Amino acid sequence: MKSEWEKCLAGETFNGGDPQLAEMTLRTKRLLARLNALDYADTEQKEMILREMLGGMGRDVHVDIDFHCEYGKNIFLGDKVIINMNCTFVDNNRIDIGNEVMIASNVQIYTATHSVRREERIVQGWDDASGVSFCNTYALPVRICDGVWIGGGAIVLPGVTIGENSVIGAGSVVTRSVPPDCVAAGNPCRVLRRI
């Protein structure tokens, strides 16, 4: 039988109220509180916290504060990655970010989602004492390939891959995968031209 953590990574419906997931979230929120309270110049402590919190992190990575995520352990960063201030990564499934990636301020990356059908989204007969979340959630991985630049305020939705060297315009809502070597923008995000 799969754990709720394994269900997250498999893209299956999982119980967000599971004690193991709740403990992972608590651990990460405590690390985030320490990270976001650090002096901006304390790069050594920042790197220590990030390496403890994230699933993997390459060389020459800069994550600005405030930074927010769910579990941390599902975020994998390559080399020479910049994540600017006020970014939120909801990492119920994997978020893989390649090398030489630039992510501007206020970017949001979501792996978690819910059914659009109410009867599938809400747990019928839910009771607070059940230890089960009142809604059904599943998560799909997000992949940001090498050389990508994501503009400020963009939102990347579950299951999306952004191909190598592509640029996502500021404020875009990326609902579908973007091929390599493109400039894409808008809501919903669409390819404007090839690079």
Side-chain angles (χ1 to χ4, degrees), residues 73-130:
K73 289 294 182 191
N74 285 337
I75 300 171
F76 296 85
L77 307 177
D79 298 331
K80 299 179 184 171
V81 172
I82 296 172
I83 299 171
N84 216 321
M85 65 185 109
N86 299 321
C87 288
T88 299
F89 293 3
V90 180
D91 63 312
N92 297 106
N93 204 318
R94 284 183 67 112
I95 297 175
D96 288 291
I97 297 174
N99 301 314
E100 299 177 358
V101 171
M102 300 186 328
I103 298 177
S105 302
N106 300 305
V107 168
Q108 301 166 56
I109 299 176
Y110 297 107
T111 65
T113 190
H114 313 279
S115 173
V116 295
R117 300 174 64 88
R118 182 172 186 247
E119 61 274 10
E120 294 172 3
R121 183 173 60 245
I122 304 300
V123 174
Q124 301 305 308
W126 179 80
D127 180 327
D128 189 33
S130 68

Side-chain angles (χ1 to χ4, degrees), residues 32 35-43 45-51 53-54 56-69 75-78 80-89 97 101 103-105:
L32 286 168
L35 176 73
N36 291 326
L38 282 175
D39 183 279
Y40 187 78
D42 194 346
T43 55
Q45 276 288 18
K46 185 186 288 188
E47 183 173 345
M48 276 181 35
I49 292 169
L50 287 169
R51 289 200 182 279
M53 182 174 59
L54 301 179
M57 185 173 90
R59 299 179 337 270
D60 302 317
V61 170
H62 173 78
V63 178
D64 207 340
I65 54 176
D66 286 342
F67 176 73
H68 303 278
C69 62
I75 300 171
F76 296 85
L77 307 177
K80 299 179 184 171
V81 172
I82 296 172
I83 299 171
N84 216 321
M85 65 185 109
N86 299 321
C87 288
T88 299
F89 293 3
I97 297 174
V101 171
I103 298 177
S105 302

